[in-house]
Amino acid sequence: DSPSMEVPQPDCMADIGTAYQAAGFPAEVTNILLASWSQSTQKRYQGPWRAWSKWCTSRDLCPFSAPVTDVLTFLTEISSSRSLEYRTLAVYKSAISQGHLPVGQTKLGELPVVSRFMKGVFRLKPPSPRLSSTWDIKCLLEFLATLDPPGGLTLQRLSLKLAALLALTSS
């Protein structure tokens, strides 16, 4: 039995830092460039970058310089296989664009064909509203009004009434 070797997971910021250094930026400059991303953005890009990097590796492509056609193919495949919404696919595009070398003088995410692709995704899968439904507070208040007098309520009903009133006043 040979010991199993753990393959390290792609790390978005480390990979981008390596690309900066390969482009000739000194380590100090690379550190400052990497510091420009907030922790939340770094975390948000981690999963999409990992998926992109694995997809490229399985096709013998470099995630930093893959052809635009392959980037759009990946975005199409990931969108279809995971039923991703427009907003999530936009995060994938942004993460890839940050690590991808410019095409000529243009960042990947700003290429007209990539913008046109994202516009197509937007039209085919428009973002759903953040709040898919709302409810009428008046109905709740009318129901709570029927729960009087407080002395005649069970402890459970009184607790639920209090919780509802607290929820209404704390928002």
Side-chain angles (χ1 to χ4, degrees):
D1 288 332
S2 61
S4 63
M5 289 189 62
E6 189 174 318
V7 178
Q9 294 290 319
D11 181 315
C12 184
M13 291 298 117
D15 288 352
I16 292 172
T18 301
Y20 281 148
Q21 288 184 332
F25 290 104
E28 298 83 17
V29 173
T30 298
N31 290 338
I32 292 171
L33 289 170
L34 292 176
S36 69
W37 282 288
S38 69
Q39 288 293 323
S40 62
T41 301
Q42 291 179 31
K43 285 181 183 178
R44 186 90 166 120
Y45 282 0
Q46 203 61 261
W49 181 260
R50 186 174 295 130
W52 165 243
S53 188
K54 285 181 181 180
W55 189 88
C56 286
T57 301
S58 72
R59 288 161 177 76
D60 292 326
L61 296 170
C62 173
F64 302 106
S65 61
V68 176
T69 54
D70 288 316
V71 173
L72 297 182
T73 299
F74 166 76
L75 291 173
T76 301
E77 287 179 13
I78 200 88
S79 173
S80 299
S81 68
R82 297 188 185 176
S83 298
L84 300 180
E85 289 191 15
Y86 173 81
R87 288 182 194 99
T88 306
L89 198 62
V91 172
Y92 275 77
K93 180 206 65 144
S94 295
I96 295 167
S97 181
Q98 293 304 317
H100 200 280
L101 296 171
V103 179
Q105 296 296 317
T106 309
K107 285 180 64 171
L108 177 80
E110 296 171 2
L111 289 171
V113 70
V114 174
S115 296
R116 176 69 48 197
F117 175 84
M118 292 304 292
K119 188 173 188 176
V121 170
F122 182 85
R123 293 196 185 225
L124 292 172
K125 296 173 113 179
S128 57
R130 294 223 182 248
L131 299 176
S132 58
S133 65
T134 58
W135 53 279
D136 188 5
I137 295 175
K138 184 179 177 189
C139 293
L140 176 62
L141 291 174
E142 287 173 356
F143 173 73
L144 293 176
T146 66
L147 300 178
D148 270 335
L153 297 176
T154 64
L155 183 58
Q156 180 185 16
R157 287 260 175 163
L158 190 59
S159 298
L160 291 173
K161 182 175 181 177
L162 177 63
L165 291 171
L166 288 172
L168 286 172
T169 58
S170 65
S171 64

